[in-house]
Amino acid sequence: MSMPLGGGTSDFYKDSVAIGAFATMEKGILISCSERNAGPSSYSLSNMAPWITTVGAGTLDRDFPAYASIDNGQNYSSVSLYRGSELSGKLLPLIYAANASNSTNGNLCMIGTLTTDKVRGKVVL
């Protein structure tokens, strides 16, 4: 069942959407709700009940292509939201984000989770 409802968050026992979705889930029906447009930021997700599948969507067809060439001649295409100045043509070392963080979610590259000295001058994956 699709319910295009997004809004604030509250305790599950006070949330009429969560209560109704739980009863529906007990009958074996998948509940899909829309996400509100308040993010991205911490805790901007609504419909957080674990029995609800929350779906976010955009209205713009966007693409953020990024291309990388490694020293063995292989080329890879991916996506990136890098906003800095253009990188030089020289090879840069790679580092996996989780290896450059003391945070449990360092692999997600969230603000403040990466150790500056470990990532400076490197491409972070």
Side-chain angles (χ1 to χ4, degrees), residues 97-115:
N99 295 339
S101 175
N102 294 324
S103 174
T104 56
N105 63 346
N107 63 319
L108 301 176
C109 296
M110 303 298 286
I111 293 173
T113 62
L114 299 177
T115 306

Side-chain angles (χ1 to χ4, degrees), residues 6-9 35-48 54:
T9 59
E35 180 46 54
R36 64 185 181 152
N37 292 320
S41 63
S42 298
Y43 304 103
S44 64
L45 180 71
S46 61
N47 299 317
M48 293 181 9
T54 301

Side-chain angles (χ1 to χ4, degrees), residues 72-116:
N72 68 0
Q74 290 185 303
N75 296 307
Y76 295 91
S77 63
S78 187
V79 294
S80 176
L81 296 177
Y82 175 72
R83 296 185 303 194
S85 57
E86 187 171 326
L87 300 175
S88 69
K90 70 177 186 170
L91 294 175
L92 298 172
L94 299 175
I95 187 166
Y96 177 55
N99 295 339
S101 175
N102 294 324
S103 174
T104 56
N105 63 346
N107 63 319
L108 301 176
C109 296
M110 303 298 286
I111 293 173
T113 62
L114 299 177
T115 306
T116 305

